Amino acid sequence: MNQREIASIGCKLIGIFFIVQGTSLLSLNVPVTANMIVDYTLINLVYSLTTILFGIFLWCFSDKLAKILVKEKNRNETVGLGANELQRIGFSVLGLYFIGNSLPELVTKSASLHTSGYGLPEPTGLRILFLGGPITELLIGIGIFLGSQGLVNLLSLIRTAGLKRERDSELEE
């Protein structure tokens, strides 16, 4: 297996996770719809369907995402993956998880603010604070996805901090 295939499988696995999560949320909403207000039923359905659609998106575009995750020079390497490559792919998939987890909540909260306001006063600053959690999670997910190589470099720097390197010991002699 080469690196792109592993990255593609990781994207497909996280896509399956979102499809299953969205389906379970959808099944929870169906029996309760008779007792709920119509606006909230629609919001819950939108949340579930957004989660499912993001999972389908990840499944369908896993190969294109794998091209983004794995550089062109490494795409056909079939040798064992090093720790840095696995960490980078893992961080990228984690970023996709945060993005996929925040999008349905962001859509749901945006729709609920538009329809009901949740008793919040009119100033838009308080309404934007209501969306702060999903927006923060989305930005963190995008940062982790796009900055996965930087995070791997930071981890390797932290791992070797304070240790003598061979180069340093040669300079002392």
Side-chain angles (χ1 to χ4, degrees):
M1 245 190 204
N2 63 33
Q3 292 180 9
R4 278 204 182 152
E5 290 171 340
I6 291 173
S8 177
I9 288 172
C11 290
K12 287 181 181 180
L13 286 174
I14 200 85
I16 290 170
F17 170 75
F18 280 121
I19 292 170
V20 169
Q21 184 181 22
T23 306
S24 69
L25 290 172
L26 187 64
S27 67
L28 290 175
N29 291 330
V30 172
V32 205
T33 55
N35 299 331
M36 295 177 70
I37 301 171
V38 175
D39 290 339
Y40 294 114
T41 303
L42 180 64
I43 290 170
N44 289 334
L45 288 174
V46 167
Y47 181 83
S48 301
L49 292 176
T50 305
T51 305
I52 293 170
L53 288 176
F54 188 74
I56 293 171
F57 168 79
L58 280 175
W59 180 271
C60 292
F61 293 104
S62 63
D63 292 332
K64 291 182 181 181
L65 287 170
K67 287 179 185 177
I68 294 171
L69 295 173
V70 178
K71 306 273 189 232
E72 184 68 30
K73 64 178 181 169
N74 298 333
R75 85 181 154 119
N76 288 327
E77 288 183 13
T78 54
V79 294
L81 294 175
N84 288 344
E85 289 86 12
L86 285 175
Q87 286 176 348
R88 191 171 56 76
I89 291 171
F91 277 128
S92 298
V93 171
L94 181 66
L96 287 175
Y97 171 76
F98 283 136
I99 292 169
N101 198 33
S102 66
L103 284 178
E105 187 176 355
L106 187 62
V107 169
T108 301
K109 284 188 174 184
S110 299
S112 68
L113 279 176
H114 179 68
T115 58
S116 68
Y118 274 134
L120 293 176
E122 282 304 313
T124 55
L126 292 175
R127 291 177 180 247
I128 291 175
L129 283 176
F130 181 66
L131 296 172
I135 290 173
T136 303
E137 188 175 359
L138 177 69
L139 293 176
I140 288 172
I142 291 171
I144 290 173
F145 178 73
L146 296 177
S148 60
Q149 184 62 46
L151 288 171
V152 169
N153 292 341
L154 178 69
L155 280 178
S156 65
L157 180 70
I158 290 171
R159 218 178 7 248
T160 59
L163 298 177
K164 280 190 171 183
R165 297 185 186 130
E166 292 176 18
R167 192 174 28 152
D168 296 337
S169 62
E170 290 174 1
L171 292 176
E172 290 176 359
E173 295 174 2

